[in-house]
Amino acid sequence: GKLLNQLIQKFEAEHPNIDVRFEVINSQYPDVIRTRLIGGVAPDVFYLDAYEAPLFMKSGVLEPLNSYIKPEFNLNDFEPRLLNAFKQGETLYGIPKDFSTLGLFYNKAAFKQAGLTRPPQTWEELRQYAKKLTIDTNKDGKIDRFGMGFLPELPRQVFMMKAFGGSLVDRNNNAAFAAPESLKGLQLVVDQYRRDRTAALPSDVGANSNTDAFGQGSVAMAIDGAWAIPHLKETFPKTEFAIAPIPSINGRPGTMAYTVAYAINRESKHKEAAWKLIQFLTSANGMKTWANQGVALPSRRSVLEALRYDRNPLYAPLANGAKYATIWQAGETLPT
């Protein structure tokens, strides 16, 4: 919020005839936006999450952006997968402001103690690592440290389903995550948790999040995103960790990608001004200001390189994951 306010003030200084009112919606954001769109009182510019985008695009409430985009905006600089999340056919309805992927966070001290010299390459190897990293000091069934930390949420596990040909929805947009192919991927998590007893949920170890469970040393490995890095450094400075790509599943690399775009209300009375604001916020300079905190990664490849995320040992596995990531999106019915 602080960074965004700084950018808005800079924009207003460069565009004295445009006044921007920044409003924060603290809860039930998609429902609030939908209600305001129906009532004709929606903002001129608003955040559009990739998983909500298909329904918004189909409903005709978004302004098509193709006619506003000039060559100097350099649309080719954006990661194609992120742009495609906000396209319907050849029509673009949103400009992705940033993105996050998932990587394998691992505790360097725990690895050293277990004699592990490199991160696991395959999920089968990860499962063996988790067994070695799980510690039951008193052999009484009360585990002191689990090998792996999980969050049991579909937004984090879809890539595992895809590895076996599964999906969230079928061709008719009906839920399909209980199909046999999908369950093969989800079963990997279930087996580690129930059969191996080498994995824990945050609530099992008295933590509020997967990040905290990892930071406090209750789990030796965790699948998490870029947002966890600043939090771990600030809250758990003594925990030495590294990040690797998520191990391949069924011979396929995989991770998730989450992205949010700026979109324009089709009923806006200030469309030109709205586009100027989006253009400013998603320009290379605007994106550098937003992305240099490391909470999310910039969607422009030039900014990713300029901020050296692609060469930073912690961020590089997350940045590289964008090339093969599964976007958290699946047709119009996913939000329902």
Side-chain angles (χ1 to χ4, degrees):
K2 186 179 178 182
L3 281 172
L4 194 51
N5 268 316
Q6 287 174 8
L7 277 171
I8 288 171
Q9 287 172 15
K10 190 176 178 184
F11 173 79
E12 287 179 324
E14 292 182 15
H15 301 81
N17 296 327
I18 302 176
D19 184 37
V20 181
R21 184 162 63 89
F22 176 40
E23 182 183 357
V24 177
I25 298 170
N26 284 314
S27 62
Q28 306 299 320
Y29 176 82
D31 293 335
V32 172
I33 291 294
R34 273 196 290 268
T35 303
R36 291 190 182 182
L37 284 165
I38 292 166
V41 291
D44 299 295
V45 176
F46 55 91
Y47 283 167
L48 178 65
D49 196 298
Y51 93 104
E52 292 274 358
L55 181 60
F56 277 69
M57 291 189 290
K58 186 180 179 182
S59 302
V61 297
L62 306 175
E63 176 74 2
L65 301 180
N66 298 53
S67 62
Y68 296 89
I69 298 168
K70 302 294 186 284
E72 57 268 24
F73 184 65
N74 193 10
L75 204 60
N76 292 330
D77 191 26
F78 287 82
E79 182 62 44
R81 278 177 184 260
L82 305 179
L83 278 178
N84 290 339
F86 303 99
K87 274 184 177 180
Q88 198 172 53
E90 293 302 312
T91 305
L92 183 64
Y93 290 96
I95 305 295
K97 69 183 187 72
D98 52 28
F99 74 98
S100 297
T101 59
L102 298 176
L104 180 70
F105 287 59
Y106 62 95
N107 186 305
K108 292 167 80 171
F111 264 51
K112 187 176 182 180
Q113 183 185 7
L116 301 171
T117 57
R118 59 168 178 79
Q121 308 298 303
T122 66
W123 200 267
E124 292 79 9
E125 198 172 34
L126 178 141
R127 198 164 171 179
Q128 295 306 314
Y129 275 38
K131 290 176 182 177
K132 289 183 180 179
L133 291 162
T134 298
I135 296 175
D136 178 2
T137 306
N138 298 319
K139 309 297 181 188
D140 57 1
K142 292 181 180 178
I143 294 173
D144 303 289
R145 185 187 69 210
F146 289 87
M148 190 76 191
F150 279 122
L151 270 185
E153 299 174 343
L154 281 176
R156 295 204 179 213
Q157 267 97 44
V158 181
F159 75 95
M160 305 179 80
M161 296 157 52
K162 292 252 185 192
F164 296 97
S167 63
L168 282 167
V169 298
D170 61 21
R171 290 179 182 178
N172 298 315
N173 266 335
N174 294 318
F177 51 82
E181 299 85 1
S182 300
L183 291 181
K184 270 189 181 179
L186 297 176
Q187 194 68 44
L188 296 175
V189 179
V190 175
D191 284 348
Q192 273 183 259
Y193 186 73
R194 291 188 175 169
R195 189 181 299 171
D196 298 353
R197 293 199 68 229
T198 60
L201 311 182
S203 56
D204 295 332
V205 295
N208 292 320
S209 68
N210 210 27
T211 310
D212 285 346
F214 177 76
Q216 69 192 24
S218 300
V219 299
M221 298 183 290
I223 291 177
D224 224 328
W227 57 82
I229 298 172
H231 179 66
L232 287 169
K233 286 182 174 180
E234 289 174 20
T235 314
F236 305 100
K238 293 182 180 178
T239 300
E240 288 190 49
F241 66 96
I243 303 174
I246 294 175
S248 64
I249 299 175
N250 197 27
R252 295 174 56 176
T255 185
M256 296 299 298
Y258 316 100
T259 184
V260 175
Y262 289 109
I264 297 177
N265 175 4
R266 194 159 197 171
E267 299 300 317
S268 169
K269 295 179 174 63
H270 312 284
K271 291 177 184 176
E272 288 295 337
W275 169 249
K276 284 180 181 176
L277 176 62
I278 291 178
Q279 185 175 243
F280 179 85
L281 293 173
T282 59
S283 67
N285 286 333
M287 202 172 282
K288 276 179 191 172
T289 305
W290 176 256
N292 66 8
Q293 299 298 304
V295 177
L297 295 166
S299 48
R300 281 186 180 270
R301 287 177 287 198
S302 64
V303 179
L304 200 68
E305 292 170 10
L307 295 176
R308 302 180 72 84
Y309 282 127
D310 58 334
R311 299 177 206 173
N312 185 312
L314 288 179
Y315 286 94
L318 302 170
N320 293 334
K323 298 178 182 70
Y324 53 82
T326 296
I327 302 278
W328 172 233
Q329 185 184 69
E332 299 94 26
T333 57
L334 179 59
T336 307

